[in-house]
Structure formats: structure tokens, C-alpha cells
Amino acid sequence: MKEDRPVRIAAIGLDHAHIYGQVPGLIAAGCELVATATRDDNSAIARGLRERYPDVPVRTEEEILADPSIDLIVTAAIPRDRAGIAVAAMRAGKDVVTDKPGCTTFEQLDELRATVAETGRFWSITFSERFEVPSVARAGEIARSGAIGTVIQTLGLGPHREGDRVHLGDAAGRPDWFYEEDAFGGILVDICSHQIDQFLWFTGSETAEVVASTVGNFAHPDDPGMNDFGEVLLRSENAQGYVRVDW
Amino acid sequence: MKEDRPVRIAAIGLDHAHIYGQVPGLIAAGCELVATATRDDNSAIARGLRERYPDVPVRTEEEILADPSIDLIVTAAIPRDRAGIAVAAMRAGKDVVTDKPGCTTFEQLDELRATVAETGRFWSITFSERFEVPSVARAGEIARSGAIGTVIQTLGLGPHREGDRVHLGDAAGRPDWFYEEDAFGGILVDICSHQIDQFLWFTGSETAEVVASTVGNFAHPDDPGMNDFGEVLLRSENAQGYVRVDW
């Protein structure tokens, strides 16, 4: 805290509906939303967020990063772009709360780690399926309390609906980036990051090995960049995990 | 069929409660039970079967195999012993219906294949969780009919209760062989054979690769030969499968 005032946040990148959970969550925690910026003014999510906060000024990314009164950047940009936004924000002296996945490549991860080390800022990922889903949060409490004994295996199933209206932000369909593997990072990075996080959390593991994984495109012949199936087998020092995700 | 009479069957090896499904199933299909033999007269299952069929003579294995009037041997012996019983039966000119797993080692499998080829007898495995569980049988019909589209993945969960009274055959506890990995074949051979069979059946796969597997003994420190956890990741040409089994 710089002084005795609310943490001032700005949202950069309004492409995924998770921003609808992140911004109210930060406001509920005492933050103040002071600006938004997006690279896609046609994004249904951007329009939806601005309708919900009509008094919050729309600014450019550059203006937001240059504003020393802004403490923290929250982002739900296209997954490919999140790391770049976070790195720029940390270099501008701001902390970051990013939607999952926080990055889509190992190169981005390396740059994020280096930037955190250099700047001392924090870079935090909103794993909505750990923090925002009450049943999961409660399951995690129970599992970690020891009430069900030692957790030796977790099974995570993440079926997703392509036509899910909530995540479409009332748009007619998914945006183009949703069908480009490079943009969404592949189904395992995009969706399975939730269940990998839950595996680590539920089993008290610090890290895990990906023993085997598969992705596939079974039902989207016209979108070769899409993954509509994915699975991962995980193993840590003390537990096993399996995850299946699909669209 | 040798002549116009019921198929005459004899049971050799009465150690697993699945015999309670196999024998009535074969009788319902028109067979006649003409003899039983067991290597363990203290087996609760053997006693239970003989109480159910008090008029069926108890004979030795040798007598049964030497009796040309007996057409088929059914066995639910200790898993380690099933292949030997089956090979001896085929060499004596009899067909075989064995409980799952039909064998516990690759050497036994090789010998079974060679014996089938040499003798021309049939060797069939009663996968009770495909044939005798109505919900699974119906699920298989639906899946194979195409009604749910192409099956690209199956998930098989096989939790088992060590104190399950039905499978204990009213005995106070599991017999000693249940805790010896060499005797039961390991949890993946013992239990997971069901779900591997279901994977092949549901997905229309002829064979599959075991991509990865794990077994463990987490809760039986006094029985180091026990497996109480197992998992397998399967992959065929057209589908993926995951199985978790536990005691």
C-alpha cells in the first residue's frame, strides 16, 4: 500500500468472461477500478464489462501503464497476450492479477519469472476453479484438513460447452482467437491448468511431472487450430492425478 | 456338441465368488453341472458353492479331466492357478470358461495361446463387469450402437471394498492369497482387467497400448504383497482410456 487509500486497479485486455469474476472480486476485496483498456473494441466481453462499469474511463494501455497512481493491473486478454501485458505492467511498477492461463509458452514463463525477480512485483493467477467455485473451495478445505485421510489421487473432469452463453458474453459465437491454438495455448494450457492447480492444491504437492498427455481435434474439421479433447496424467512425489477436458 | 444332450460342465478351483455367477450362468444357458473340485477345502467359496449344489459330486481334478463325458471346465481358482487348470483341461479335450483374470503372467498367456492353437478348444474369460452387470451391458449396447457418437475416451473407476460380504463368501476375512501379489497377479491384472476389457469393447478397439501405469500399497503396511491402488492410461488407434482401481 502506498498510502491509506484503496488499491487502484485497471483492467487491460477484456477478451475472456473471467474478467467478470476478477474485477468484482478485487472490488469486493477493497480495490477501486479506475480504468480499462482493450485491444479489441468489438469484444463482447469488453462491451459487457464497460456496461457494468459505465463511469470507469476507457484509456489506452500506454496511459494506464504511465499512470503512477495505478497500483495493479488485472487482465483477461487473449491468453497469448497475457504474459506481455503482465511483464509491461511489472516493469511499470505495478502488480498483476491475471486470468488463467497466465502464459502460453515456456519462453513467456521464463520472462515472467525473470521480471518478478527483477521488479519485486507480484504476479498472481486467478484460478477461478479453485477460488471462485464454492464447491471446489470447500472440497479443497476438506481434503487439506485431513478429514478424508491422505489424498493419493485426484480425478479432474472439465467438460466445457462451446455455446455457453455466460462465457460468450452474449455474443453470437466464440471469437476467432478461440480457434487458434497459438492464441489460446492449446486445450491443456487453456482449461487443464485449472485441474493441474487443483491437483497440486488438493494433494499438497509443490510440483508434478506430466507423465503423459494427449490433445485432439475430433469434431472441428473446419478449425484445424482447435483442440476439443485433452487429457493429462500427473504424478508428484506423493500423489497421482488424471485430468480429461473437452469442448 | 458331442450328441443331443446338455453340455456337461465341471468346476475346478472354487476360490473366488465369481463362481457364483459363472455356474448359474452356464446352467441358465443349458449346461449341466456334474462335478466340482478344489485345492482348498477350507475355501468359504467352495463350501458355499457345494451348499448350493449339494447333489453334485465332489471329485478330484484328475478324475474330472479323465472323464470323457465332461465337455467344459469352469474355474474361479486363485488367479495364479487358472492358466494351469485351463491348459490341462484343453489338453484333456475340454473347453474352458475362466474367471477374470484368465492368467497372471505373460508366460501363462503364451502357453494358453499355444494350447488353444494346438488343441482347437476354446478358452473364454467371464468378464463379469461386461456380461453380468446390466448397467454396463446396456451402456455397451448404447455406446456401440453409435447413439452417443464416436466413443473417443472411456473412464473406468473400480473402487472395491475389502470387507464386501458377498465376495467374502460369508468368511470372516479375505484368504491369505488375496494379499500375495504373485497369487492375485497385482491389482491391475486382478481388477483393472475388467476396465481394460470395457475400454476395448466400448471403443471398438482390437488392442491398446498401456501408456503408463502405477500400483501402490498405501494402507496395508502389514501386507507388503498387497496392492491397494492402481491406475492405467490406455491408448488405442482410435481412443484413449483411463482406469483407477482401489481397495
Side-chain angles (χ1 to χ4, degrees):
Chain A
M1 297 303 112
K2 287 168 182 167
E3 56 234 44
D4 186 17
R5 60 163 179 77
V7 172
R8 288 164 61 85
I9 68 169
I12 297 180
L14 311 173
D15 298 286
H16 193 291
H18 283 163
I19 198 74
Y20 295 160
Q22 294 174 288
V23 165
L26 288 164
I27 290 173
C31 298
E32 183 183 2
L33 180 66
V34 300
T36 68
T38 184
R39 295 174 188 181
D40 177 9
D41 283 319
N42 290 320
S43 155
I45 305 297
R47 292 200 309 270
L49 190 79
R50 286 168 179 170
E51 279 171 20
R52 293 173 198 212
Y53 301 99
D55 298 332
V56 173
V58 175
R59 300 176 71 185
T60 67
E61 290 183 41
E62 294 71 23
E63 288 170 348
I64 288 172
L65 294 180
D67 182 341
S69 82
I70 293 173
D71 305 303
L72 185 149
I73 301 301
V74 58
T75 185
I78 297 170
R80 172 182 50 201
D81 297 333
R82 292 174 189 173
I85 290 168
V87 165
M90 288 188 276
R91 290 195 176 136
K94 304 180 192 319
D95 295 314
V96 176
V97 170
T98 178
D99 185 26
K100 48 54 58 183
C103 56
T104 56
T105 69
F106 284 109
E107 291 71 22
Q108 291 178 353
L109 182 61
D110 289 342
E111 191 179 6
L112 285 161
R113 284 180 161 147
T115 307
V116 168
E118 281 164 31
T119 64
R121 309 315 308 185
F122 76 70
W123 174 74
S124 173
I125 302 182
T126 316
F127 279 110
S128 54
E129 292 189 21
R130 189 202 319 178
F131 299 113
E132 296 183 21
V133 176
S135 58
V136 176
R138 182 74 183 121
E141 287 171 15
I142 293 170
R144 291 172 64 87
S145 76
I148 60 167
T150 303
V151 180
I152 60 172
Q153 203 260 4
T154 69
L155 188 66
L157 302 179
H160 280 62
R161 277 185 302 150
E162 204 171 338
D164 166 14
R165 302 300 303 169
V166 172
H167 281 81
L168 283 171
D170 298 324
R174 297 273 175 180
D176 288 347
W177 63 262
F178 178 80
Y179 297 93
E180 297 164 14
E181 191 166 358
D182 165 58
F184 69 83
I187 193 170
L188 298 181
V189 169
D190 182 19
I191 304 180
C192 200
S193 52
H194 280 304
Q195 286 83 10
I196 293 171
D197 171 68
Q198 290 168 346
F199 168 77
L200 297 171
W201 180 243
F202 288 171
T203 66
S205 301
E206 289 289 317
T207 186
E209 170 196 4
V210 174
V211 178
S213 64
T214 309
V215 297
N217 179 347
F218 291 95
H220 292 79
D222 296 335
D223 294 296
M226 177 70 170
N227 295 160
D228 52 24
F229 175 84
E231 65 172 357
V232 169
L233 188 67
L234 300 167
R235 195 177 289 158
S236 74
E237 281 197 14
N238 52 330
Q240 289 72 230
Y242 176 76
V243 184
R244 185 187 77 194
V245 292
D246 57 272
W247 286 102
Chain B
M1 297 308 110
K2 286 169 183 167
E3 56 235 43
D4 186 17
R5 61 162 177 79
V7 172
R8 288 164 60 84
I9 68 170
I12 297 180
L14 311 174
D15 299 285
H16 194 291
H18 284 164
I19 198 73
Y20 295 160
Q22 295 174 287
V23 165
L26 288 164
I27 290 173
C31 298
E32 182 183 2
L33 180 67
V34 299
T36 67
T38 183
R39 296 175 186 180
D40 177 9
D41 283 319
N42 290 319
S43 156
I45 304 297
R47 293 199 309 269
L49 190 79
R50 287 168 178 170
E51 279 170 21
R52 294 175 196 208
Y53 301 98
D55 299 332
V56 173
V58 175
R59 300 175 71 185
T60 67
E61 290 182 42
E62 293 70 25
E63 287 169 351
I64 289 172
L65 293 180
D67 183 341
S69 82
I70 294 174
D71 306 302
L72 184 148
I73 300 301
V74 57
T75 183
I78 297 170
R80 173 183 48 201
D81 297 333
R82 292 174 188 172
I85 291 168
V87 165
M90 289 188 277
R91 290 196 176 135
K94 304 179 191 317
D95 295 313
V96 176
V97 170
T98 176
D99 185 24
K100 47 55 60 183
C103 57
T104 56
T105 70
F106 284 108
E107 291 71 23
Q108 290 179 353
L109 182 60
D110 289 342
E111 192 178 5
L112 285 161
R113 283 180 161 148
T115 307
V116 168
E118 282 164 31
T119 63
R121 311 314 309 184
F122 77 71
W123 174 75
S124 172
I125 302 182
T126 316
F127 279 110
S128 54
E129 292 190 20
R130 188 202 320 177
F131 298 115
E132 295 183 22
V133 177
S135 58
V136 177
R138 181 74 182 122
E141 286 172 15
I142 293 169
R144 291 172 63 88
S145 76
I148 61 167
T150 303
V151 180
I152 60 173
Q153 202 259 5
T154 68
L155 187 67
L157 303 179
H160 281 61
R161 276 184 303 149
E162 204 171 338
D164 167 13
R165 300 303 302 173
V166 172
H167 281 80
L168 284 171
D170 298 324
R174 297 272 175 182
D176 289 346
W177 63 262
F178 178 79
Y179 297 93
E180 296 164 15
E181 190 166 358
D182 165 58
F184 68 83
I187 193 169
L188 299 180
V189 170
D190 182 19
I191 304 180
C192 200
S193 51
H194 280 303
Q195 287 84 11
I196 293 170
D197 171 67
Q198 290 168 347
F199 167 78
L200 297 171
W201 180 243
F202 289 171
T203 66
S205 301
E206 288 290 318
T207 186
E209 171 196 4
V210 173
V211 178
S213 63
T214 309
V215 297
N217 178 347
F218 291 95
H220 292 79
D222 296 335
D223 294 297
M226 175 71 171
N227 295 160
D228 52 25
F229 176 84
E231 63 171 359
V232 168
L233 188 67
L234 299 168
R235 195 177 288 158
S236 74
E237 280 198 15
N238 52 330
Q240 289 72 230
Y242 176 76
V243 185
R244 185 188 76 194
V245 290
D246 57 272
W247 285 102

